[in-house]
Amino acid sequence: MLLPLPCSAVPGDGVFPLAESTRITAPGELAPTARWLQSVLRPATGLPLPVSGMAEPAPAGSALALALDPDLPAEGYRLACGPGGVTITGGDTAGVFYGCQALRQLLPPQIYRAAGTAGVRWAVPYVTVEDSPRFGWRGAMLDVARHFMPKHDVLRFLDLLAVHRINTLHLHLTDDQGWRVEILRHPRLTEVGSWRRESQLGAAPDAPNDGRPHGGYYTQDDLREIVAYAAERHITVMPEIDVPGHSQAAIAAYPELGVQGERLEASPRWGINTNILNAEESTLDFFLGVFDEVMDLFPGRFIGIGGDECPKDQWDADPRTRELMAERGLGDSKELQAWFLGRIGAHIAARGRRVFGWDEILEGAVPEGVAVASWRGMTGARTAARRGYDVISCPDDQVYLDYRQSELESEPIPFAVPLTLADAYAFDPVPDGLTEQETARILGGQANIWTEHMDSPRTVDYYVFPRLCAVAEALWSRGGRDFDDFLVRLRPHLARLDALGVEYRREDGPLPWQSRPGVPGKPATRADWTEFIDGLVAHIKT
């Protein structure tokens, strides 16, 4: 009952019991993984499970042995359980870690609890599992700008991602409604921009505000801790600083960054905002400094720069901006946005990193080394791959986990189209019609968790699970899709989520306290939504 579904699992006849004599053995390079495995098996079992090196072989039939085999694929593993114990062999350290996650799933679900459970028999069934992932980018985007998630809960979320073999956490750190990352050279970004006086309650344009201040931010020490904690679980944390739109919180902190120079506040309203950054060299220098501090905190390959939903009204109406465009030989404001993002992209590339941007960046000159996040359906994925750019697929109608989960009136703050568990399971990051060479440009995919309507970690649980379980299998598993088989394996997996304290959505709908009666939503039919998205991307189709 493994989830995600492995490439193969051949059961045997018998079980290997964990006992006081059981120990974990590992070579030196796998010692951190061995210690992690010990840390997650000890609390529930109450067993000591000492860790020893390979030079100290355990008695026959008593070991959980970890090993490396470079002939196995990257992130792949082989788990073999028999009378001699359990051996987990990985193509690399990540593969060994994922084999350890499979081992946990072979034990009773109480293994996910934080303290012992009386009467549980801790035994691993005899089995041989061979497995490796389909895609290298298996991600989840968490929006902590709209509603801040405290560090403790981010660490918990990383643990949940690791259970599901997800290896990328995309942190959306800045937006109109809040700035969440400490920047030492610009302290007002968090002193002013990290909180708002109230929040919109609901999705409708005329929804009221709640009158309640909201805020929070991560110190640089917090972020170093998050990055290190993630790395121990073979998860890369990718930051996103959204420019030149979605920037009102930054402008609230430093009004000189805005086009009109007005003193603003971090926005208490959702939606697309017309307040954007100006195009002065001083503003560009400001953000190059921001990205320098961000790159010092996040060592991963990609750095998110946004580029999405940037209305050009203020630029088009501003004489100074038109003067700057003329000086730079730019024909219009779309070319100005491409110039702005290109300068940031070049700065990031000079530090050996690559740019991650939303598919709006295809509307102009594309920054060097870009990976395009295709969110407006799959048009951006198809277009980018054909133009020779790398792609992360995250189509809104398949993996936007803020979308409502059914047509039930009890769904909390129903937004956009229904995105069911079956819809999420059907997600395929590779669009139709690509050549083999173009298909190789699809790095993988991710689910996006926008939090306008998720004001607590409990609410995030409800929107995300179990749909993220389905997305995880879509990104990991190489075999054909069988939703009925997935449901058979999901049901015991929900017992694991129960043990972990995840307040997921039940199959028959929200529990009473998960609904939000009286809070307006903004639902749409799939036909209307498809027409809307098609209109947004009509001019980038190839």
Side-chain angles (χ1 to χ4, degrees):
M1 291 297 180
L2 296 176
L3 193 156
L5 182 69
C7 296
S8 71
V10 180
D13 185 14
V15 298
F16 169 68
L18 303 186
E20 290 287 333
S21 60
T22 305
R23 67 176 61 186
I24 301 169
T25 66
E29 60 266 49
L30 291 177
T33 304
R35 288 193 294 270
W36 173 86
L37 180 61
Q38 180 194 61
S39 75
V40 297
L41 297 183
R42 266 182 168 180
T45 64
L47 298 172
L49 301 171
V51 174
S52 61
M54 300 301 286
E56 310 168 60
S62 69
L64 304 175
L66 310 184
L68 290 168
D69 180 353
D71 290 334
L72 291 175
E75 297 189 287
Y77 67 90
R78 180 191 306 114
L79 184 155
C81 179
V86 179
T87 300
I88 298 170
T89 308
D92 52 19
T93 55
V96 176
F97 178 78
Y98 296 132
C100 291
Q101 291 287 5
L103 171 64
R104 292 176 82 192
Q105 291 191 352
L106 293 171
L107 289 163
Q110 293 91 335
I111 195 65
Y112 291 93
R113 295 194 177 275
T117 304
V120 177
R121 186 188 183 202
W122 302 110
V124 184
Y126 289 177
V127 67
T128 300
V129 180
E130 302 266 359
D131 204 7
S132 63
R134 181 185 178 199
F135 292 102
W137 187 296
R138 306 180 303 279
M141 189 284 299
L142 180 63
D143 168 20
V144 294
R146 272 48 176 269
H147 278 105
F148 178 70
M149 183 176 282
K151 182 196 70 176
H152 168 273
D153 297 294
V154 174
L155 301 180
R156 170 184 179 266
F157 191 72
L158 284 165
D159 282 328
L160 293 174
L161 296 185
V163 166
H164 296 88
R165 325 290 200 270
I166 289 172
N167 67 358
T168 303
L169 173 61
H170 167 186
L171 274 184
H172 184 78
L173 288 164
T174 71
D175 217 294
D176 297 309
Q177 296 82 14
W179 185 282
R180 307 295 179 212
V181 51
E182 179 185 36
I183 302 297
L184 299 179
R185 69 189 74 187
H186 302 303
R188 286 177 59 83
L189 287 171
T190 47
E191 290 171 0
V192 174
S194 70
W195 73 280
R196 57 181 181 267
R197 59 182 170 82
E198 58 185 351
S199 305
Q200 180 177 328
L201 184 60
D206 60 349
N209 283 8
D210 62 6
R212 180 182 181 186
H214 179 84
Y217 68 92
Y218 307 107
T219 67
Q220 294 202 356
D221 283 343
D222 289 337
L223 291 169
R224 290 186 188 97
E225 179 183 357
I226 288 168
V227 168
Y229 191 88
E232 290 172 356
R233 288 147 182 80
H234 296 276
I235 297 171
T236 298
V237 183
M238 186 197 73
E240 183 191 352
I241 306 297
D242 206 343
V243 294
H246 287 293
S247 296
Q248 185 165 322
I251 298 169
Y254 294 95
E256 63 271 22
L257 299 175
V259 175
Q260 298 173 331
E262 295 179 357
R263 184 164 297 279
L264 303 173
E265 62 178 350
S267 178
R269 305 292 293 176
W270 315 137
I272 298 175
N273 193 313
T274 59
N275 292 306
I276 66 173
L277 300 174
N278 65 47
E280 299 286 351
E281 286 286 344
S282 58
T283 295
L284 187 63
D285 288 343
F286 180 103
F287 276 92
L288 294 182
V290 167
F291 279 102
D292 278 336
E293 291 197 31
V294 168
M295 286 187 281
D296 288 342
L297 293 169
F298 296 89
R301 190 179 184 190
F302 287 93
I303 302 295
I305 66 171
D308 62 312
E309 296 180 333
C310 180
K312 314 296 192 298
D313 308 62
Q314 291 186 348
W315 282 354
D316 291 334
D318 179 51
R320 173 57 181 163
T321 303
R322 293 197 299 271
E323 180 182 327
L324 289 170
M325 286 193 289
E327 290 175 2
R328 295 164 183 163
L330 303 174
D332 58 25
S333 53
K334 285 187 177 180
E335 291 186 14
L336 178 60
Q337 177 170 335
W339 175 90
F340 191 100
L341 295 176
R343 288 281 299 274
I344 291 175
H347 186 77
I348 289 171
R351 291 197 50 175
R353 309 296 188 84
R354 294 182 61 187
V355 165
F356 173 106
W358 301 106
D359 61 28
E360 283 92 337
I361 63 177
L362 294 169
E363 297 170 5
V366 177
E368 178 184 350
V370 73
V372 177
S374 179
W375 73 271
R376 297 177 297 179
M378 294 296 275
T379 297
R382 190 176 294 107
T383 300
R386 287 175 175 167
R387 292 185 189 176
Y389 303 120
D390 287 339
V391 173
I392 293 89
S393 297
C394 48
D396 69 299
D397 61 341
Q398 297 179 66
V399 291
Y400 265 42
L401 302 188
D402 57 317
Y403 286 13
R404 59 195 171 115
Q405 301 191 56
S406 74
E407 297 281 8
L408 292 174
E409 292 185 1
S410 56
E411 291 290 357
I413 315 182
F415 178 70
V417 297
L419 198 165
T420 66
L421 183 63
D423 293 328
Y425 189 73
F427 171 48
D428 189 338
V430 181
D432 296 334
L434 297 186
T435 66
E436 183 177 348
Q437 184 177 14
E438 292 163 350
T439 297
R441 289 289 185 178
I442 310 298
L443 303 183
Q446 65 181 36
N448 290 341
I449 304 156
W450 301 104
T451 62
E452 287 93 336
H453 311 305
M454 303 180 205
D455 58 359
S456 73
R458 296 180 72 184
T459 314
V460 171
D461 278 3
Y462 172 82
Y463 277 92
V464 171
F465 294 101
R467 290 187 294 183
L468 189 62
C469 306
V471 174
E473 180 153 309
L475 293 172
W476 176 277
S477 299
R478 294 177 176 274
R481 303 290 176 82
D482 185 334
F483 183 61
D484 290 336
D485 175 71
F486 170 75
L487 290 179
V488 168
R489 287 178 291 108
L490 178 65
R491 289 178 185 121
H493 188 70
L494 294 179
R496 300 171 190 138
L497 297 185
D498 286 329
L500 287 163
V502 178
E503 297 193 32
Y504 55 86
R505 182 189 187 274
R506 268 54 179 178
E507 189 174 1
D508 56 356
L511 296 169
W513 58 89
Q514 292 171 325
S515 63
R516 297 291 295 273
V519 180
K522 191 181 179 183
T525 66
R526 190 163 285 272
D528 287 345
W529 197 258
T530 299
E531 182 180 0
F532 168 66
I533 294 295
D534 284 349
L536 293 179
V537 298
H539 56 297
I540 66 167
K541 290 182 180 180
T542 57

